[in-house]
Amino acid sequence: MTLTFNSSVLFGLVLLFILLLVGALLSEQESRQKLAEANQKLREYAMLIEDRAI
C-alpha cells in the first residue's frame, strides 16, 4: 500500500513538473513573439523617421 501511495505521489509531482515546464516554455515563446513584433515596429518607425529627416 505504501509503495502504491509513493508511486502515486511521485507520478503527481512529475505530472505537475511537466505541466509547469510546458507552461513556462509556452510563455517564453509568446514573449519572444511579442518582442519580435515590437522590434519590427521599432525598425519601421526608425525607417520612417530616417526618410522624413532626409
Side-chain angles (χ1 to χ4, degrees):
M1 181 170 158
T2 304
L3 182 62
T4 304
F5 179 72
N6 287 340
S7 297
S8 298
V9 170
L10 180 61
F11 177 75
L13 289 175
V14 169
L15 187 60
L16 178 64
F17 176 76
I18 291 171
L19 288 173
L20 290 173
L21 182 62
V22 168
L25 289 172
L26 290 174
S27 176
E28 188 263 347
Q29 183 181 11
E30 182 181 350
S31 295
R32 282 185 183 263
Q33 181 64 32
K34 288 181 180 179
L35 181 61
E37 291 171 5
N39 189 20
Q40 182 62 34
K41 285 183 181 180
L42 284 173
R43 287 179 187 270
E44 291 171 4
Y45 292 148
M47 289 174 61
L48 182 62
I49 290 169
E50 184 179 337
D51 289 343
R52 289 187 180 182
I54 295 176

